[in-house]
Amino acid sequence: MLIGTSKGLRGNFYVVHPPDLGAVFLVYLGNRHNRLNRWCFISGMCFSMGVFKEYLYFTLFPAVMQAWPGWMTEELSLDIYSVLTAVLYYFAMPAALVFGFYFSRMDERRPKLFRWARIGVFVPALLFGVFYPYLETRYYQLYDRTYYLCAALYNWLYGVLLTVLLLGTLWRERRTAVYRQKKMVAILVLVPIWYQLISAFLIHLLDLKGLF
């Protein structure tokens, strides 16, 4: 059923996934009505698709197909993998950037810009779906280097914008009572996001197979 030569992560790597999701849920449950927490939760769920799709495609779906052949097909398995890849590649960074808007209080400081920006950041994700359909991302991921480069540049650009937004906010609020708390939040957000952006794109673009 596999497209390409990748075999995915070993099963014991997926043990890191439940704690990650648990942390995201704790942030959300801490204050479900706080929009900053809400978008932290949404972006965290989008990023979690990176591990979740690997588990489904390489571990769970093959077992289901073997035990109950009528419940899962290779085509359906591939479609689900592709859609979840699209969630990670196209929607995770825009959601993180909306989190950054709330982090910087853009909704309070520049409400008109915020109203347009929170919608506009998702437009490229929709355009990707037109030119590179969500159901075919697995194929493009493996066999279309132009697609992979475009997806990488798109995510890196958003990553840079988010970094500038968060660091700029810290500089502006460096003398406020919430500075220490916001500094910790920025570190907890930026470090794993940049790890994701490097591991998911740069390593593969450079074809560093030993690090796959």
Side-chain angles (χ1 to χ4, degrees):
M1 68 176 288
L2 303 181
I3 288 185
T5 57
S6 173
K7 297 180 180 179
L9 298 173
R10 295 195 302 272
N12 58 342
F13 275 83
Y14 300 118
V15 72
V16 304
H17 190 55
D20 285 346
L21 287 181
V24 171
F25 272 111
L26 285 176
V27 169
Y28 177 65
L29 292 175
N31 187 348
R32 289 175 293 174
H33 302 293
N34 183 290
R35 292 178 179 178
L36 186 67
N37 287 15
R38 191 179 303 165
W39 279 98
C40 178
F41 171 76
I42 292 172
S43 61
M45 291 301 295
C46 289
F47 278 111
S48 75
M49 294 301 105
V51 173
F52 189 52
K53 67 185 177 68
E54 297 285 318
Y55 168 73
L56 292 178
Y57 186 64
F58 292 104
T59 304
L60 181 61
F61 289 162
V64 171
M65 281 188 283
Q66 184 175 5
W68 302 285
W71 287 23
M72 177 62 62
T73 64
E74 294 183 8
E75 182 178 0
L76 177 58
S77 174
L78 186 60
D79 286 347
I80 294 174
Y81 185 94
S82 293
V83 169
L84 295 182
T85 298
V87 172
L88 173 65
Y89 283 10
Y90 304 160
F91 292 96
M93 282 309 306
L97 201 54
V98 174
F99 161 83
F101 293 157
Y102 283 110
F103 183 91
S104 67
R105 303 182 191 275
M106 182 188 289
D107 56 319
E108 300 173 5
R109 297 185 302 108
R110 306 184 68 179
K112 291 184 178 179
L113 175 62
F114 170 77
R115 283 196 293 270
W116 286 100
R118 65 177 178 176
I119 297 174
V121 293
F122 287 98
V123 171
L126 300 177
L127 293 177
F128 263 106
V130 174
F131 293 101
Y132 297 103
Y134 302 142
L135 289 175
E136 300 174 16
T137 56
R138 178 62 174 168
Y139 174 84
Y140 293 121
Q141 179 188 31
L142 293 172
Y143 300 119
D144 190 334
R145 188 171 178 82
T146 300
Y147 161 79
Y148 210 74
L149 180 60
C150 290
L153 291 175
Y154 162 68
N155 278 271
W156 290 338
L157 174 61
Y158 274 47
V160 170
L161 291 175
L162 178 64
T163 302
V164 171
L165 197 60
L166 267 57
L167 295 184
T169 301
L170 291 180
W171 176 257
R172 188 174 62 252
E173 300 182 4
R174 63 190 183 279
R175 302 187 188 283
T176 65
V178 297
Y179 172 76
R180 291 175 64 89
Q181 182 182 11
K182 281 201 165 184
K183 179 181 177 181
M184 181 60 67
V185 170
I187 293 172
L188 292 174
V189 168
L190 291 177
V191 171
I193 281 181
W194 276 106
Y195 175 82
Q196 143 73 18
L197 294 178
I198 292 173
S199 63
F201 295 106
L202 184 61
I203 288 174
H204 286 80
L205 281 172
L206 296 178
D207 201 28
L208 302 177
K209 294 180 180 177
L211 298 177
F212 279 8

